[in-house]
Amino acid sequence: MIAYHYSISYREGSSLINDYDKKSQTVEPFLMALRKGRDWFDLLLLTEMYHARLAEREDKFHNYVKDATEAVFEYVRETEFAKNSASRINCVYYFADLSAAVKAAYADWIDCGDATKEEVKMLEVQVTDGSVFEYDQVFYDRAYELMKQHDVTNALACARHYFASDKTEAPILEYLSSGTNHIIQEISY
């Protein structure tokens, strides 16, 4: 499958890593807390909020809400959709066409000022093996907004819709694969 991927961390190489920015390390504590129960998860979420505010982190890319959201999605995936699904924390995200990838790069990084167009690399990639799963990113985006309000119950519901491959009225389709890949070229956009 030929697909498109945008990245702020890609520098060079012939393939992409299936664990962006070692995200699994920061998601793992949230996932472990969820496995112990909602009270543990809520406590960790509040603790991380406290630490983020106390430290007034300069690292604009660390986002405990994103880590917590990813944990919610991984928990739902492993407990309810373990077969025929892709782990968001151990995969690469792709788009089927270049225009969708460019639109997502602007929405996720450039328009909000977190990165410049020069910092966001656009890549054409050949996914060489492994299963590719199609999901509606809108459910993830909704869950992320709900987690900002600590609405874990509705975030869990969004994760269920996501992994059930449900579609919203205006889906943003993303493709996840933990298979191997080969970068064909970096694209100017």
Side-chain angles (χ1 to χ4, degrees):
M1 170 184 179
I2 301 293
Y4 299 90
H5 174 80
Y6 62 88
S7 175
I8 62 162
S9 60
Y10 174 75
R11 299 294 175 252
E12 61 182 54
S14 61
S15 64
L16 299 168
I17 299 169
N18 285 331
D19 182 8
Y20 161 71
D21 202 26
K22 300 201 181 293
K23 201 67 173 155
S24 61
Q25 292 177 352
T26 56
V27 171
E28 182 184 32
F30 286 100
L31 185 55
M32 291 172 69
L34 258 178
R35 288 174 183 149
K36 287 186 171 280
R38 278 289 304 280
D39 288 344
W40 285 81
F41 183 79
D42 291 342
L43 180 60
L44 181 57
L45 190 62
L46 292 171
T47 301
E48 278 299 302
M49 177 199 295
Y50 172 76
H51 286 131
R53 289 180 180 173
L54 184 65
E56 296 180 4
R57 296 178 186 204
E58 293 181 15
D59 180 4
K60 66 182 177 181
F61 298 116
H62 178 80
N63 182 339
Y64 78 93
V65 175
K66 182 165 178 43
D67 293 344
T69 306
E70 292 293 356
V72 164
F73 273 64
E74 185 61 13
Y75 178 77
V76 167
R77 188 198 69 78
E78 72 179 14
T79 59
E80 300 177 34
F81 297 91
K83 295 181 182 178
N84 298 317
S85 64
S87 169
R88 290 180 50 86
I89 58 175
N90 292 304
C91 73
V92 175
Y93 302 80
Y94 302 100
F95 292 88
D97 62 73
L98 179 59
S99 63
V102 169
K103 184 177 178 180
Y106 271 90
D108 289 348
W109 292 101
I110 300 165
D111 289 345
C112 64
D114 285 345
T116 66
K117 182 179 176 188
E118 293 71 32
E119 292 173 311
V120 180
K121 306 298 182 203
M122 190 63 57
L123 306 168
E124 183 178 30
V125 179
Q126 170 74 49
V127 180
T128 54
D129 74 33
S131 297
V132 177
F133 297 90
E134 177 187 89
Y135 301 114
D136 186 350
Q137 181 183 327
V138 173
F139 289 115
Y140 179 85
D141 294 342
R142 286 179 184 169
Y144 178 74
E145 291 303 316
L146 290 162
M147 287 303 297
K148 286 180 181 177
Q149 302 163 19
H150 294 192
D151 185 349
V152 179
T153 300
N154 285 316
L156 286 162
C158 287
R160 288 183 184 100
H161 286 293
Y162 180 90
F163 285 111
S165 295
D166 293 342
K167 303 291 185 282
T168 59
E169 290 119 27
I172 300 172
L173 300 179
E174 61 184 2
Y175 298 85
L176 279 56
S177 177
S178 59
T180 58
N181 60 73
H182 175 74
I183 296 171
I184 298 170
Q185 66 177 328
E186 187 174 330
I187 299 172
S188 296
Y189 62 103

